[in-house]
Amino acid sequence: MEIIVCIKQVPDTTEVKIDPEKGTLMREGVPSIVNPFDKNAVEAALQLRDEKGGKVTVITMGPPQAVDALRECLAMGADEAVLLSDRAFASSDTWATSYTLAMAIEKIGNYDLILCGKQAIDGDTAQVGPGIAEHIGLPQVTYVQKIRETNDDGLVVERAIEGGYEVLTVGLPAMIAVEKSINEPRFPTMMGTMKAHKKEVPTWGAAEIEADEDKLGMNGSPTRVKRIFAPERKSQGEMIEGDDENQVCTLLVEKLLDKKVI
């Protein structure tokens, strides 16, 4: 089975801060990690490959340093990796990002399954995986919590829904986006890490994937982020004083009634 996994290098959300003046994320000095949901997608791909044979190719779109995320996936056991990096890709929203990834997947060709994490922890949109499927014209299943089996009809999967799950059969090729509960990602081995650092990872730009530049980056993004801010909660307390507990309680009840709290 030929599987392509789309991953993203994201800032560690426990370290993210917001510039109060510019309203943008402060990425400088913030450690980057492989998006946790994408690690589950990589693990699911490796399990399918180990069972059915074939190859796992991991791709990501990002700056040159995103190659570190790809090498981590190679160290986990992925066979190949491709970095999509070009100034033309900068400031892409989810629509332009999914188009770029779809063009790269079409260039790779010969795939049975595309795997994505449910969502990225920095944007939380859960739109890129479905967007890839729409650009290519593939069936898709999101929120997959279990791959039950593979058969002549495709994959039988469990899709999480509120209060339970659905059992669906999806024909191949297809795109599935997985939940964190689907598996526990393996740790890279020392041998795998050594091989990953020696592995050549090609970098493709807009020309290599033959993309329409009007659909890339900011030009190809129909949405704009106007401002990012951290919510502020302002509250003011008031001390209620009285001669004794009964008086304090009476004053408290009167104030709550006055404010229509009770």
Side-chain angles (χ1 to χ4, degrees), residues 179-199:
E179 288 271 5
K180 200 168 182 61
S181 59
I182 192 171
N183 55 43
E184 187 67 34
R186 68 192 69 182
F187 290 102
T189 63
M190 183 176 294
M191 184 63 70
T193 301
M194 293 173 63
K195 288 182 178 179
H197 281 281
K198 294 179 182 178
K199 184 79 173 179

Side-chain angles (χ1 to χ4, degrees), residues 2 42 65 73 79 86 88 115 130 160 177 185 197 214 241 251 258 261:
E2 302 297 311
V42 173
Q65 59 265 32
C73 296
D79 301 287
D86 192 316
L115 276 164
H197 281 281
D214 289 335
E241 298 179 354
L251 291 172
D258 184 56
V261 174

Side-chain angles (χ1 to χ4, degrees), residues 236-256:
Q236 185 174 357
E238 179 183 352
M239 292 295 295
I240 299 176
E241 298 179 354
D243 296 333
D244 53 38
E245 294 178 353
N246 291 332
Q247 186 179 18
V248 170
C249 289
T250 301
L251 291 172
L252 174 60
V253 171
E254 289 176 352
K255 286 185 177 293
L256 292 175

Side-chain angles (χ1 to χ4, degrees), residues 134-150:
E134 288 299 315
H135 282 299
I136 299 176
L138 296 176
Q140 58 176 290
V141 184
T142 55
Y143 304 105
V144 172
Q145 65 180 18
K146 185 177 182 180
I147 299 175
R148 286 192 170 189
E149 62 177 284
T150 60

Side-chain angles (χ1 to χ4, degrees), residues 65-193:
Q65 59 265 32
V67 72
D68 294 337
L70 292 173
R71 294 199 186 280
E72 183 174 346
C73 296
L74 288 169
M76 289 175 65
D79 301 287
E80 303 290 339
V82 177
L83 172 63
L84 306 177
S85 190
D86 192 316
R87 288 186 179 275
F89 303 154
S91 301
S92 293
D93 68 356
T94 55
W95 176 263
T97 297
S98 60
Y99 168 76
T100 305
L101 290 168
M103 293 300 293
I105 290 168
E106 292 287 74
K107 176 179 172 63
I108 294 170
N110 188 33
Y111 56 86
D112 300 299
L113 182 64
I114 300 168
L115 276 164
C116 300
K118 178 183 72 169
Q119 64 195 67
I121 61 171
D122 57 349
D124 280 336
T125 64
Q127 294 174 350
V128 171
I132 291 170
E134 288 299 315
H135 282 299
I136 299 176
L138 296 176
Q140 58 176 290
V141 184
T142 55
Y143 304 105
V144 172
Q145 65 180 18
K146 185 177 182 180
I147 299 175
R148 286 192 170 189
E149 62 177 284
T150 60
N151 53 42
D152 293 339
D153 295 325
L155 296 178
V156 180
V157 302
E158 291 181 9
R159 180 180 188 269
I161 58 175
E162 187 175 355
Y165 61 86
E166 300 173 320
V167 178
L168 303 172
T169 297
V170 57
L172 300 179
M175 188 290 301
I176 67 173
V178 303
E179 288 271 5
K180 200 168 182 61
S181 59
I182 192 171
N183 55 43
E184 187 67 34
R186 68 192 69 182
F187 290 102
T189 63
M190 183 176 294
M191 184 63 70
T193 301

